[in-house]
Amino acid sequence: MKTETITQSNDSRPAGPKPWYDPRVRSIFFQIVAIALVFWGGYTLVDNTLSNMESRGISTGFGFLEESAGFGIIMSLVPYDATMSYGRTFWVGLTNTLLVSAMGVVAATILGFIIGVARLSSNWLVAKIALVYVEVIRNIPLLLQIFFWYFAVLAALPTPRQSIEVGGSAFLNNRGLYVPDPVTQDGFGLVWGAIAIAIASVIGLRLWAKKRQLATGKIFPTFKVGVSILVLLPVLAYFVAGSPLEWDVPALKGFNFRGGITIIPELAALWLALSLYTASFIAEIVRSGILSVSKGQTEASHALGLPNGLTLRLVVIPQAMRVIIPPLTSQYLNLVKNSSLATAIGYPDLVAVFMGTTLNQTGQAVEVVAITMAVYLTISLLISLFMNIYNRAVAIKER
Amino acid sequence: MAEAMMKPPKKTLGPIAWMREHLFSSWYNTLLTAVIGYVLLTSMGPLLNWLFFEANFTGSGPDDCTGAGACWLFVSQRLNFFIYGFYPDELQWRVDVMFALLAIAFVPQFIEGFPGRKWLGIFGMTGLPLIGYFLIPGGSFGLEEVPSTKWGGLMLTLILAYIGILASLPIGTLLALGRRSEMPIIRGLCVVFIEVWRAVPLITVLFMASVMLPLFLPEGVNFEKLSRALIGITLWQSAYMAEVIRGGLQAIPRGQYEAADALGLGYWKKMGLVILPQALKLVIPGIVNTFISLFKDTTLVLIIGLFDVLGTVQSTVTDPAWQNVASEGYVFVAFCFWVFCFGMSRYSQNLERKLDTGHKT
């Protein structure tokens, strides 16, 4: 009796609408239903999966990562042979994915910026060619472009015996591109030291030049001096140490080339296609970024007496970057994800090696798919994180 | 008087002036023009020769290809396979009917002032898939059944893209609304769903759909490969769609929500009648971009063993009877995709201009 009177006296709202018309009650109700559905769905899935796996005799757990893989992989950055474990195949696949992604990001960024600027060129021919490039490349599926480079272009190259020779030390044929491999000899440590000192002094120089510019307004040619230091110091150290570098030049032995660094056609095709495809999207991002900077900014800069180069570097590009960075991040993410198409031509990336061969051999679909998806999730989150930090550094600081 | 006697400035009009301004305005522009012009002149000739002048268009078999230019005979001889896959020859009229209906529903959208455009568009979204649902697989109304394992080629590409687009739009809208919801648990679930699917490559999703989905389902329930791929594609695509639509929802000023509340509209009426129509209109370019990327991504199903248009071509270019026809096949597929994707992007630009009501100033 007592509690009832308290609730009645505390309820200040008029006793009109039923509780199911109260938005708060409804929101709690719907959320409870949602949680119940998720748990029920999750439980059903796990239950079904376990009983299905049991009836098919599939083992569970991550023990398979220790077992011997027993299959070869055509390219690996970490030492690998067929006796090693499935855990090792995972690393081989992951490093291969990271390699082609990194190569692709660098090439696509450079090419994309060039084409994006070319789209805005005052030269009609240049602008139109850039336009045609963008409209053609981005409207054709990436997988088709990978196939084109792999099956139509690279497969049509001559055999190793009739290799195309570049400067007597690099060879191109249908087995790949063979370039000399630099082998460091004793005393190369001096060169590494010189490189480290050069980098440190350039950073110091830049800090000093910026400080001096803020204090006195005098501009120091940081770029030219910095490049000279970076080039001259290591070269000097190289000769002082007595040229401690030898080249392992590839040579035709029997049916194939030995020695040197080999870029296999699978990697070359994937890299070409990923870079060219992503560049067409980056070009449009760069173009719209530059166009987003109002003409008044350029005019104001000219009015202050800044020449064209400085206007571009100090006024236009910093403002354009703010517009460019977020969509550019998405393109980098897309490139990393698209590198998974490697499996279609047999480049041994994570999906091909792990989700393909390893899954087929072990049959442990749930674990393998979960690991692979977790890896991509991590890569995506990391790229987003770094780009967001960078984005925050260049974003407009409003007060 | 002196002004009237003055001659007009030389060379501000006409082709020569145009070239001076656009091609030779400075020494480096002249150099660029010269280099690019040289490359174009030397490469266009052989390319056109290969594509048209020395290409083989007629004949009856591989022997009629001279090898000097492209062998288009390969494409024309295999065209049936590239379009219909393994769909039985005598039943292909059903697919043709669907192609025709598709054209009737969507080609008028590109023609300004075509009567009943809107109704044709609505038919394309509702009636067309319904007819297709009965016509393509058959099995009812006395139509002979064609299992989905026999579908292939361009027809399969269009089916995958069409169903993916049609299903991901409403699911994506719901997810976007969920992500903007004030209920923390519903919002959290939507955020996790969207972010996870967006972070993983489509291939892993397709692999998951093809190897893990059968494990998830109770025993006895099984989908064939095509449905599994479609489920994967739809889930993945909805996450992208949700983010595009969320962008539109965020762009709607608060006053619109408040006005709808003031009118006493409930949640669904507020969203359906006031917010979503404005939000969707704002993000049409983004939605079409998502459509285009989905359309291109349907090619990935060949990795799990479905024969889309790229899959059919890929499986025939290695045919020993024909030699070195890979380029011809790829050019054909590229052309198919290019026409659809370029058409869609042009249509969205057109629509954007037309629907622009000046709110973006």
Side-chain angles (χ1 to χ4, degrees):
Chain A
M1 260 337 259
K2 204 180 170 189
T3 47
E4 205 184 342
T5 45
I6 288 171
T7 28
Q8 273 176 352
S9 64
N10 271 1
D11 198 355
S12 55
R13 280 172 294 127
K18 302 276 190 305
W20 50 87
Y21 287 126
D22 184 338
R24 277 178 305 169
V25 174
R26 289 218 293 198
S27 124
I28 292 169
F29 170 74
F30 283 131
Q31 298 194 56
I32 291 173
V33 170
I35 292 181
L37 276 175
V38 167
F39 272 99
W40 174 77
Y43 174 78
T44 322
L45 284 189
V46 171
D47 189 48
N48 283 339
T49 310
L50 287 179
S51 67
N52 276 328
M53 294 211 296
E54 203 184 297
S55 66
R56 291 177 206 191
I58 304 173
S59 54
T60 51
F62 292 94
F64 74 97
L65 288 172
E66 312 279 319
E67 288 165 29
S68 173
F71 64 93
I73 298 176
I74 52 170
M75 180 190 141
S76 61
L77 294 175
V78 290
Y80 174 82
D81 65 65
T83 59
M84 288 181 179
S85 67
Y86 286 119
R88 192 71 172 186
T89 64
F90 168 78
W91 280 114
V92 172
L94 181 60
T95 46
N96 282 342
T97 290
L98 293 178
L99 173 75
V100 75
S101 304
M103 287 166 67
V105 162
V106 172
T109 309
I110 296 171
L111 194 63
F113 270 78
I114 292 173
I115 295 167
V117 172
R119 282 272 270 133
L120 298 168
S121 167
S122 60
N123 187 320
W124 181 85
L125 205 54
V126 173
K128 283 294 170 243
I129 285 186
L131 173 74
V132 170
Y133 175 85
V134 169
E135 289 295 355
V136 169
I137 297 293
R138 70 171 179 175
N139 283 326
I140 293 175
L142 176 60
L143 188 59
L144 174 59
Q145 296 190 31
I146 293 175
F147 279 167
F148 174 76
W149 288 109
Y150 188 61
F151 291 109
V153 176
L154 295 181
L157 286 172
T159 57
R161 277 170 190 285
Q162 277 96 39
S163 293
I164 301 166
E165 207 175 302
V166 188
S169 51
F171 302 90
L172 183 67
N173 57 52
N174 59 7
R175 302 263 186 93
L177 175 67
Y178 297 80
V179 290
D181 182 11
V183 184
T184 55
Q185 309 292 313
D186 289 342
F188 199 78
L190 195 66
V191 180
W192 286 124
I195 291 172
I197 293 170
I199 291 172
S201 53
V202 167
I203 293 171
L205 181 76
R206 200 182 132 73
L207 289 175
W208 170 80
K210 204 164 181 183
K211 209 169 163 187
R212 196 183 73 143
Q213 193 185 347
L214 284 175
T216 65
K218 284 181 187 147
I219 297 174
F220 186 79
T222 323
F223 184 75
K224 280 179 200 161
V225 176
V227 169
S228 327
I229 293 176
L230 278 180
V231 173
L232 285 180
L233 212 57
V235 168
L236 203 69
Y238 176 74
F239 285 112
V240 167
S243 315
L245 192 66
E246 276 177 15
W247 294 92
D248 180 15
V249 179
L252 189 62
K253 292 207 176 91
F255 293 105
N256 212 343
F257 279 90
R258 293 279 159 81
I261 297 174
T262 313
I263 298 175
I264 56 172
E266 288 82 9
L267 174 61
L270 189 66
W271 181 38
L272 267 172
L274 275 176
S275 314
L276 293 174
Y277 183 73
T278 313
S280 70
F281 290 88
I282 293 180
E284 284 300 275
I285 292 168
V286 169
R287 183 179 70 101
S288 65
I290 294 175
L291 284 179
S292 75
V293 180
S294 73
K295 207 165 160 49
Q297 294 282 328
T298 312
E299 288 164 353
S301 166
H302 284 160
L304 287 173
L306 288 183
N308 259 330
L310 279 182
T311 300
L312 204 64
R313 222 175 72 207
L314 299 175
V315 178
V316 178
I317 290 180
Q319 297 189 63
M321 282 317 267
R322 292 183 183 139
V323 181
I324 291 173
I325 296 291
L328 192 63
T329 309
S330 315
Q331 288 309 322
Y332 288 166
L333 287 175
N334 279 346
L335 192 144
V336 174
K337 286 186 278 172
N338 282 337
S339 73
S340 61
L341 297 188
T343 182
I345 53 168
Y347 172 73
D349 83 319
L350 182 64
V351 171
V353 168
F354 202 60
M355 232 178 182
T357 321
T358 301
L359 195 155
N360 275 341
Q361 289 195 3
T362 60
Q364 294 196 279
V366 178
E367 290 86 353
V368 168
V369 171
I371 291 176
T372 314
M373 284 190 158
V375 166
Y376 280 102
L377 204 60
T378 315
I379 295 176
S380 297
L381 293 177
L382 282 179
I383 293 186
S384 303
L385 182 72
F386 286 127
M387 292 306 270
N388 279 334
I389 291 172
Y390 179 64
N391 193 27
R392 207 163 304 142
V394 298
I396 298 178
K397 306 247 180 340
E398 277 181 305
R399 275 177 251 276
Chain B
M1 227 18 220
E3 277 170 50
M5 297 288 283
M6 239 191 245
K7 281 178 187 165
K10 268 181 192 168
K11 292 169 182 168
T12 53
L13 287 170
I16 299 204
W18 183 90
M19 279 166 70
R20 277 173 68 127
E21 194 191 329
H22 292 99
L23 293 178
F24 307 106
S25 59
S26 61
W27 68 267
Y28 64 82
N29 265 341
T30 309
L31 187 71
L32 269 178
T33 306
V35 170
I36 293 177
Y38 175 77
V39 171
L40 274 185
L41 284 179
T42 48
S43 62
M44 285 315 273
L47 188 66
L48 288 175
N49 265 344
W50 185 81
L51 277 173
F52 304 110
F53 303 128
E54 285 172 5
N56 304 99
F57 292 94
T58 53
S60 54
D63 298 333
D64 289 317
C65 281
T66 52
C71 177
W72 297 121
L73 216 60
F74 165 70
V75 174
S76 57
Q77 296 251 314
R78 293 293 165 87
L79 199 59
N80 203 47
F81 182 54
F82 294 165
I83 292 178
Y84 304 99
F86 301 101
Y87 211 85
D89 283 351
E90 67 280 5
L91 298 176
Q92 280 169 7
W93 62 267
R94 294 197 215 157
V95 183
D96 294 335
V97 168
M98 291 310 295
F99 280 141
L101 287 176
L102 194 71
I104 291 171
F106 288 102
V107 171
Q109 308 297 329
F110 291 88
I111 303 162
E112 202 68 41
F114 194 90
R117 277 204 310 175
K118 193 175 151 195
W119 293 110
L120 285 173
I122 292 174
F123 166 75
M125 306 274 244
T126 54
L128 185 69
L130 197 70
I131 296 173
Y133 178 75
F134 290 107
L135 201 56
I136 301 271
S140 46
F141 299 114
L143 291 165
E144 193 183 326
E145 195 176 334
V146 184
S148 68
T149 45
K150 296 212 166 183
W151 308 359
L154 188 62
M155 159 203 158
L156 186 73
T157 297
L158 288 174
I159 289 175
L160 283 166
Y162 206 85
I163 299 181
I165 286 169
L166 217 59
S168 67
L169 198 55
I171 299 177
T173 309
L174 285 179
L175 283 170
L177 289 176
R179 194 168 182 167
R180 300 264 301 158
S181 158
E182 279 160 9
M183 297 182 246
I185 290 168
I186 298 213
R187 187 170 61 228
L189 289 174
C190 291
V191 168
V192 169
F193 182 94
I194 292 170
E195 293 304 333
V196 167
W197 288 121
R198 264 162 33 103
V200 297
L202 180 56
I203 289 201
T204 59
V205 177
L206 287 174
F207 264 111
M208 196 194 86
S210 77
V211 299
M212 262 166 85
L213 209 56
L215 292 177
F216 286 159
L217 298 169
E219 252 172 292
V221 181
N222 209 354
F223 289 115
E224 69 327 357
K225 212 190 253 171
L226 180 63
S227 315
R228 294 206 294 254
L230 267 173
I231 291 172
I233 287 177
T234 306
L235 289 176
W236 190 76
Q237 198 63 27
S238 320
Y240 280 85
M241 198 60 85
E243 284 300 272
V244 172
I245 294 170
R246 180 168 75 110
L249 289 174
Q250 282 176 345
I252 304 298
R254 246 198 106 62
Q256 295 288 327
Y257 290 87
E258 287 165 354
D261 286 336
L263 285 174
L265 297 180
Y267 179 79
W268 294 110
K269 277 195 173 163
K270 174 170 79 176
M271 288 302 166
L273 296 175
V274 180
I275 307 299
L276 277 176
Q278 300 184 66
L280 290 177
K281 196 174 79 178
L282 272 181
V283 291
I284 282 176
I287 293 177
V288 177
N289 275 345
T290 321
F291 286 174
I292 293 176
S293 70
L294 169 62
F295 191 70
K296 287 184 292 178
D297 283 336
T298 54
T299 49
L300 266 60
V301 297
L302 83 85
I303 290 170
I304 58 165
L306 288 170
F307 285 90
D308 75 316
V309 63
L310 181 56
T312 51
V313 170
Q314 183 64 18
S315 67
T316 35
V317 289
T318 45
D319 187 343
W322 299 83
Q323 289 192 338
N324 298 325
V325 285
S327 301
E328 286 86 340
Y330 295 144
V331 168
F332 167 74
V333 182
F335 181 73
C336 288
F337 275 96
W338 190 83
V339 167
F340 280 101
C341 294
F342 190 71
M344 276 199 270
S345 78
R346 278 298 127 113
Y347 179 61
S348 96
Q349 286 169 14
N350 186 18
L351 210 59
E352 200 183 340
R353 268 195 300 277
K354 211 172 57 190
L355 290 176
D356 184 16
T357 39
H359 48 253
K360 264 189 262 180
T361 55

